[in-house]
Amino acid sequence: MDAVRIESVTKLYAGAGRPALDGLDLAVQRGEVFGFLGPNGAGKTTTIKMILGFFAPTSGSVRVLDGDPQDPATRRRIGYMPEVANYYGYLSACELLAFYGRLCGMAPEAIRRRSGELLELVGLQDAGKKPLRLFSKGMMQRAGIAQALLHDPELLILDEPLTGLDPLARIQLRDIIVMLRKQGRTVFFSSHELSEAELICDRIGILKDGRLCCCGGIAEVAGDGAGNLERIFLRHIQEAKG
């Protein structure tokens, strides 16, 4: 059973000249790290929002963890970190996690225990009581990762998770993703950081104008290996224009 299955999905926005998604077919396997790549405007954010159940497709079907993504029972099994999170600046990291933990229906003791574990995991153990308005961009990204992992989700969706992270934080996030894969979790992330995707992904999908240009393992997409992922990405995007 796939963690995510998208079949013949089209998404039309009122007034748009073309569909945001145009007959998209995509399957993300359970327990894999899947990189969702594409230029700005390709339809990555629209796809993520449908996986999260924020809205339904115009046509086609989306199944997540064998359920309807708009069903609260399905949503509770998903963790999500947006590219830009507008958290309340007066909250501390501990208070932020307590807030989200209550939204998820977690018990107070479970929230305290899990928060301590996650703040240490993302390197914020010494800043847990510091107001978020004083956090740097990289620290906010770390807090967002902790928030997404708080309720121990089966599927983790990360939208541009490496933005604003320094080299050490990138390595730490990479290690966290590898750890989650070893635990049998599924990680789906969109990124412009192609070199990072090349390091940690089991498979990638490249999206252009709402359609999947290619999808497969790194070795499969690269063919004979003549070139890195950035050059392969560029080739597929250029071919899709033709």
Side-chain angles (χ1 to χ4, degrees):
M1 181 174 60
D2 295 319
V4 176
R5 178 165 288 277
I6 297 173
E7 296 182 326
S8 303
V9 163
T10 295
K11 180 60 182 178
L12 297 168
Y13 292 111
R18 61 177 177 81
L21 295 176
D22 188 6
L24 178 64
D25 288 301
L26 177 66
V28 178
Q29 300 165 7
R30 282 181 178 265
E32 76 172 343
V33 177
F34 187 88
F36 199 45
L37 314 176
N40 291 334
K44 300 190 302 297
T45 297
T46 294
T47 304
I48 286 174
K49 287 182 177 179
M50 284 198 297
I51 293 173
L52 291 167
F54 291 173
F55 50 69
T58 305
S59 62
S61 66
V62 180
R63 299 287 291 176
V64 178
L65 301 172
D66 203 34
D68 182 347
Q70 294 187 304
D71 183 342
T74 302
R75 289 183 175 183
R76 281 194 289 268
R77 301 163 66 192
I78 303 171
Y80 171 53
M81 188 188 83
E83 180 179 3
V84 178
N86 296 313
Y87 300 129
Y88 295 115
Y90 59 82
L91 293 178
S92 68
C94 289
E95 290 169 335
L96 173 74
L97 295 180
F99 173 73
Y100 277 97
R102 289 193 296 273
L103 286 179
C104 293
M106 296 175 65
E109 180 54 38
I111 293 173
R112 285 192 292 272
R113 176 183 53 78
R114 186 75 174 145
S115 295
E117 294 171 353
L118 289 172
L119 290 175
E120 183 173 359
L121 182 67
V122 301
L124 291 178
Q125 64 270 27
D126 296 327
K129 296 186 178 180
K130 184 177 180 180
L132 295 174
R133 66 176 179 274
L134 301 179
F135 275 28
S136 66
K137 176 66 181 295
M139 292 173 72
M140 288 294 285
Q141 289 291 91
R142 291 168 184 252
I145 294 165
Q147 173 271 128
L149 290 172
L150 183 64
H151 59 300
D152 201 20
E154 296 174 48
L155 169 64
L156 181 64
I157 298 176
L158 306 174
D159 192 357
E160 297 290 346
L162 299 161
T163 303
L165 294 182
D166 59 40
L168 176 59
R170 286 169 181 257
I171 293 171
Q172 290 173 333
L173 176 57
R174 193 187 309 150
D175 289 344
I176 290 170
I177 291 174
V178 171
M179 176 195 73
L180 292 169
R181 177 172 55 197
K182 288 179 179 178
Q183 294 174 353
R185 311 290 171 168
T186 306
V187 181
F188 178 102
F189 75 92
S190 69
S191 180
H192 290 103
E193 302 285 348
L194 302 182
S195 59
E196 292 290 340
E198 193 169 14
L199 285 171
I200 61 177
C201 289
D202 297 301
R203 293 192 307 134
I204 61 167
I206 299 177
L207 197 68
K208 169 65 179 174
D209 291 336
R211 296 184 177 185
L212 210 58
C213 301
C214 70
C215 184
I218 297 293
E220 179 185 351
V221 172
D224 61 5
N228 61 19
L229 184 57
E230 291 181 349
R231 293 189 180 278
I232 294 160
F233 173 84
L234 181 60
R235 187 185 76 231
H236 281 288
I237 293 299
Q238 289 175 334
E239 289 175 353
K241 291 180 180 179

